[in-house]
PDB file of all heavy atoms in Angstrom:
ATOM      1  N   GLU A 267     -21.492   1.979  -2.001  1.00 98.00           N
ATOM      2  CA  GLU A 267     -22.827   1.446  -2.130  1.00 98.00           C
ATOM      3  C   GLU A 267     -22.781   0.005  -2.628  1.00 98.00           C
ATOM      4  O   GLU A 267     -22.194  -0.275  -3.681  1.00 98.00           O
ATOM      5  CB  GLU A 267     -23.664   2.308  -3.139  1.00 98.00           C
ATOM      6  CG  GLU A 267     -25.067   1.795  -3.349  1.00 98.00           C
ATOM      7  CD  GLU A 267     -25.933   1.832  -2.111  1.00 98.00           C
ATOM      8  OE1 GLU A 267     -25.726   2.734  -1.253  1.00 98.00           O
ATOM      9  OE2 GLU A 267     -26.829   0.974  -2.004  1.00 98.00           O
ATOM     10  N   ARG A 268     -23.316  -0.898  -1.867  1.00 97.00           N
ATOM     11  CA  ARG A 268     -23.169  -2.320  -2.187  1.00 97.00           C
ATOM     12  C   ARG A 268     -24.039  -2.690  -3.391  1.00 97.00           C
ATOM     13  O   ARG A 268     -25.245  -2.402  -3.433  1.00 97.00           O
ATOM     14  CB  ARG A 268     -23.574  -3.159  -0.974  1.00 97.00           C
ATOM     15  CG  ARG A 268     -22.578  -3.047   0.173  1.00 97.00           C
ATOM     16  CD  ARG A 268     -22.901  -3.988   1.301  1.00 97.00           C
ATOM     17  NE  ARG A 268     -21.907  -3.920   2.355  1.00 97.00           N
ATOM     18  CZ  ARG A 268     -21.918  -4.660   3.457  1.00 97.00           C
ATOM     19  NH1 ARG A 268     -22.862  -5.540   3.630  1.00 97.00           N
ATOM     20  NH2 ARG A 268     -20.935  -4.529   4.367  1.00 97.00           N
ATOM     21  N   VAL A 269     -23.404  -3.351  -4.351  1.00 98.00           N
ATOM     22  CA  VAL A 269     -24.050  -3.847  -5.550  1.00 98.00           C
ATOM     23  C   VAL A 269     -24.081  -5.370  -5.451  1.00 98.00           C
ATOM     24  O   VAL A 269     -23.174  -5.972  -4.874  1.00 98.00           O
ATOM     25  CB  VAL A 269     -23.268  -3.409  -6.799  1.00 98.00           C
ATOM     26  CG1 VAL A 269     -23.828  -4.028  -8.058  1.00 98.00           C
ATOM     27  CG2 VAL A 269     -23.299  -1.868  -6.902  1.00 98.00           C
ATOM     28  N   GLU A 270     -25.118  -5.984  -5.996  1.00 97.00           N
ATOM     29  CA  GLU A 270     -25.235  -7.430  -5.933  1.00 97.00           C
ATOM     30  C   GLU A 270     -23.976  -8.094  -6.572  1.00 97.00           C
ATOM     31  O   GLU A 270     -23.438  -7.633  -7.563  1.00 97.00           O
ATOM     32  CB  GLU A 270     -26.443  -7.924  -6.728  1.00 97.00           C
ATOM     33  CG  GLU A 270     -27.772  -7.645  -6.071  1.00 97.00           C
ATOM     34  CD  GLU A 270     -28.908  -8.232  -6.885  1.00 97.00           C
ATOM     35  OE1 GLU A 270     -29.400  -7.535  -7.786  1.00 97.00           O
ATOM     36  OE2 GLU A 270     -29.267  -9.417  -6.683  1.00 97.00           O
ATOM     37  N   HIS A 271     -23.583  -9.195  -5.952  1.00 96.00           N
ATOM     38  CA  HIS A 271     -22.407  -9.939  -6.419  1.00 96.00           C
ATOM     39  C   HIS A 271     -22.523 -10.416  -7.856  1.00 96.00           C
ATOM     40  O   HIS A 271     -21.551 -10.629  -8.575  1.00 96.00           O
ATOM     41  CB  HIS A 271     -22.089 -11.113  -5.523  1.00 96.00           C
ATOM     42  CG  HIS A 271     -21.557 -10.701  -4.187  1.00 96.00           C
ATOM     43  ND1 HIS A 271     -21.349 -11.592  -3.164  1.00 96.00           N
ATOM     44  CD2 HIS A 271     -21.163  -9.494  -3.728  1.00 96.00           C
ATOM     45  CE1 HIS A 271     -20.825 -10.956  -2.099  1.00 96.00           C
ATOM     46  NE2 HIS A 271     -20.723  -9.669  -2.417  1.00 96.00           N
ATOM     47  N   ARG A 272     -23.755 -10.572  -8.320  1.00 97.00           N
ATOM     48  CA  ARG A 272     -24.002 -11.061  -9.691  1.00 97.00           C
ATOM     49  C   ARG A 272     -23.360 -10.131 -10.702  1.00 97.00           C
ATOM     50  O   ARG A 272     -23.086 -10.547 -11.836  1.00 97.00           O
ATOM     51  CB  ARG A 272     -25.500 -11.143  -9.938  1.00 97.00           C
ATOM     52  CG  ARG A 272     -26.235  -9.825  -9.962  1.00 97.00           C
ATOM     53  CD  ARG A 272     -27.752  -9.980 -10.008  1.00 97.00           C
ATOM     54  NE  ARG A 272     -28.145 -10.765 -11.166  1.00 97.00           N
ATOM     55  CZ  ARG A 272     -29.248 -11.507 -11.204  1.00 97.00           C
ATOM     56  NH1 ARG A 272     -30.043 -11.610 -10.171  1.00 97.00           N
ATOM     57  NH2 ARG A 272     -29.534 -12.168 -12.326  1.00 97.00           N
ATOM     58  N   TRP A 273     -23.106  -8.883 -10.330  1.00 98.00           N
ATOM     59  CA  TRP A 273     -22.536  -7.902 -11.272  1.00 98.00           C
ATOM     60  C   TRP A 273     -21.014  -7.872 -11.283  1.00 98.00           C
ATOM     61  O   TRP A 273     -20.430  -7.016 -11.966  1.00 98.00           O
ATOM     62  CB  TRP A 273     -23.084  -6.521 -10.973  1.00 98.00           C
ATOM     63  CG  TRP A 273     -24.496  -6.379 -11.465  1.00 98.00           C
ATOM     64  CD1 TRP A 273     -25.653  -6.311 -10.737  1.00 98.00           C
ATOM     65  CD2 TRP A 273     -24.905  -6.249 -12.825  1.00 98.00           C
ATOM     66  NE1 TRP A 273     -26.742  -6.214 -11.545  1.00 98.00           N
ATOM     67  CE2 TRP A 273     -26.305  -6.158 -12.844  1.00 98.00           C
ATOM     68  CE3 TRP A 273     -24.221  -6.233 -14.049  1.00 98.00           C
ATOM     69  CZ2 TRP A 273     -27.061  -6.046 -14.033  1.00 98.00           C
ATOM     70  CZ3 TRP A 273     -24.954  -6.106 -15.214  1.00 98.00           C
ATOM     71  CH2 TRP A 273     -26.350  -6.017 -15.211  1.00 98.00           C
ATOM     72  N   ASN A 274     -20.402  -8.834 -10.606  1.00 97.00           N
ATOM     73  CA  ASN A 274     -18.944  -8.980 -10.782  1.00 97.00           C
ATOM     74  C   ASN A 274     -18.539 -10.366 -10.309  1.00 97.00           C
ATOM     75  O   ASN A 274     -17.989 -10.498  -9.216  1.00 97.00           O
ATOM     76  CB  ASN A 274     -18.146  -7.891 -10.064  1.00 97.00           C
ATOM     77  CG  ASN A 274     -16.692  -7.855 -10.545  1.00 97.00           C
ATOM     78  OD1 ASN A 274     -16.265  -8.672 -11.308  1.00 97.00           O
ATOM     79  ND2 ASN A 274     -15.976  -6.832 -10.089  1.00 97.00           N
ATOM     80  N   GLN A 275     -18.768 -11.345 -11.166  1.00 95.00           N
ATOM     81  CA  GLN A 275     -18.256 -12.678 -10.880  1.00 95.00           C
ATOM     82  C   GLN A 275     -16.778 -12.671 -11.297  1.00 95.00           C
ATOM     83  O   GLN A 275     -16.406 -13.101 -12.399  1.00 95.00           O
ATOM     84  CB  GLN A 275     -19.036 -13.720 -11.675  1.00 95.00           C
ATOM     85  CG  GLN A 275     -20.428 -14.026 -11.088  1.00 95.00           C
ATOM     86  CD  GLN A 275     -20.368 -15.140 -10.049  1.00 95.00           C
ATOM     87  OE1 GLN A 275     -19.345 -15.799  -9.877  1.00 95.00           O
ATOM     88  NE2 GLN A 275     -21.489 -15.385  -9.371  1.00 95.00           N
ATOM     89  N   HIS A 276     -15.950 -12.144 -10.409  1.00 94.00           N
ATOM     90  CA  HIS A 276     -14.535 -11.861 -10.756  1.00 94.00           C
ATOM     91  C   HIS A 276     -13.636 -13.058 -10.371  1.00 94.00           C
ATOM     92  O   HIS A 276     -14.094 -14.049  -9.816  1.00 94.00           O
ATOM     93  CB  HIS A 276     -14.075 -10.597 -10.039  1.00 94.00           C
ATOM     94  CG  HIS A 276     -13.927 -10.755  -8.551  1.00 94.00           C
ATOM     95  ND1 HIS A 276     -15.018 -10.895  -7.731  1.00 94.00           N
ATOM     96  CD2 HIS A 276     -12.835 -10.799  -7.762  1.00 94.00           C
ATOM     97  CE1 HIS A 276     -14.600 -11.007  -6.481  1.00 94.00           C
ATOM     98  NE2 HIS A 276     -13.284 -10.985  -6.475  1.00 94.00           N
ATOM     99  N   GLY A 277     -12.363 -12.919 -10.743  1.00 92.00           N
ATOM    100  CA  GLY A 277     -11.360 -13.919 -10.408  1.00 92.00           C
ATOM    101  C   GLY A 277     -11.299 -15.089 -11.373  1.00 92.00           C
ATOM    102  O   GLY A 277     -10.603 -16.083 -11.099  1.00 92.00           O
ATOM    103  N   LEU A 278     -12.019 -14.997 -12.499  1.00 95.00           N
ATOM    104  CA  LEU A 278     -12.047 -16.115 -13.448  1.00 95.00           C
ATOM    105  C   LEU A 278     -10.694 -16.310 -14.173  1.00 95.00           C
ATOM    106  O   LEU A 278     -10.467 -17.309 -14.801  1.00 95.00           O
ATOM    107  CB  LEU A 278     -13.147 -15.966 -14.456  1.00 95.00           C
ATOM    108  CG  LEU A 278     -14.569 -15.788 -13.879  1.00 95.00           C
ATOM    109  CD1 LEU A 278     -15.607 -15.783 -15.006  1.00 95.00           C
ATOM    110  CD2 LEU A 278     -14.904 -16.904 -12.878  1.00 95.00           C
ATOM    111  N   GLY A 279      -9.799 -15.312 -14.045  1.00 94.00           N
ATOM    112  CA  GLY A 279      -8.463 -15.412 -14.626  1.00 94.00           C
ATOM    113  C   GLY A 279      -7.491 -16.015 -13.640  1.00 94.00           C
ATOM    114  O   GLY A 279      -6.276 -16.043 -13.922  1.00 94.00           O
ATOM    115  N   GLY A 280      -7.978 -16.490 -12.509  1.00 88.00           N
ATOM    116  CA  GLY A 280      -7.084 -17.065 -11.486  1.00 88.00           C
ATOM    117  C   GLY A 280      -6.364 -15.966 -10.718  1.00 88.00           C
ATOM    118  O   GLY A 280      -6.763 -14.809 -10.712  1.00 88.00           O
ATOM    119  N   ASP A 281      -5.276 -16.321 -10.029  1.00 79.00           N
ATOM    120  CA  ASP A 281      -4.544 -15.329  -9.248  1.00 79.00           C
ATOM    121  C   ASP A 281      -3.621 -14.524 -10.137  1.00 79.00           C
ATOM    122  O   ASP A 281      -3.595 -14.681 -11.368  1.00 79.00           O
ATOM    123  CB  ASP A 281      -3.803 -15.990  -8.109  1.00 79.00           C
ATOM    124  CG  ASP A 281      -2.748 -17.028  -8.583  1.00 79.00           C
ATOM    125  OD1 ASP A 281      -2.358 -16.931  -9.787  1.00 79.00           O
ATOM    126  OD2 ASP A 281      -2.360 -17.887  -7.800  1.00 79.00           O
ATOM    127  N   ASN A 282      -2.808 -13.654  -9.522  1.00 67.00           N
ATOM    128  CA  ASN A 282      -1.937 -12.789 -10.307  1.00 67.00           C
ATOM    129  C   ASN A 282      -0.610 -13.445 -10.655  1.00 67.00           C
ATOM    130  O   ASN A 282       0.210 -12.819 -11.343  1.00 67.00           O
ATOM    131  CB  ASN A 282      -1.686 -11.500  -9.492  1.00 67.00           C
ATOM    132  CG  ASN A 282      -2.856 -10.552  -9.553  1.00 67.00           C
ATOM    133  OD1 ASN A 282      -3.264 -10.158 -10.625  1.00 67.00           O
ATOM    134  ND2 ASN A 282      -3.381 -10.199  -8.415  1.00 67.00           N
ATOM    135  N   LEU A 283      -0.394 -14.670 -10.210  1.00 73.00           N
ATOM    136  CA  LEU A 283       0.885 -15.325 -10.488  1.00 73.00           C
ATOM    137  C   LEU A 283       0.752 -16.480 -11.466  1.00 73.00           C
ATOM    138  O   LEU A 283       1.527 -16.592 -12.395  1.00 73.00           O
ATOM    139  CB  LEU A 283       1.497 -15.828  -9.153  1.00 73.00           C
ATOM    140  CG  LEU A 283       1.827 -14.713  -8.126  1.00 73.00           C
ATOM    141  CD1 LEU A 283       2.349 -15.343  -6.836  1.00 73.00           C
ATOM    142  CD2 LEU A 283       2.848 -13.765  -8.693  1.00 73.00           C
ATOM    143  N   GLU A 284      -0.210 -17.352 -11.280  1.00 75.00           N
ATOM    144  CA  GLU A 284      -0.320 -18.526 -12.127  1.00 75.00           C
ATOM    145  C   GLU A 284      -1.515 -18.496 -13.056  1.00 75.00           C
ATOM    146  O   GLU A 284      -1.487 -19.120 -14.134  1.00 75.00           O
ATOM    147  CB  GLU A 284      -0.398 -19.791 -11.233  1.00 75.00           C
ATOM    148  CG  GLU A 284       0.823 -20.011 -10.379  1.00 75.00           C
ATOM    149  CD  GLU A 284       0.733 -21.307  -9.563  1.00 75.00           C
ATOM    150  OE1 GLU A 284       0.661 -22.372 -10.181  1.00 75.00           O
ATOM    151  OE2 GLU A 284       0.720 -21.235  -8.323  1.00 75.00           O
TER     152      GLU A 284
END
Side-chain angles (χ1 to χ4, degrees):
E267 178 63 32
R268 292 187 177 181
V269 174
E270 287 184 272
H271 287 173
R272 67 188 303 151
W273 283 106
N274 195 353
Q275 283 272 353
H276 70 290
L278 303 185
D281 60 20
N282 282 303
L283 298 176
E284 298 183 63

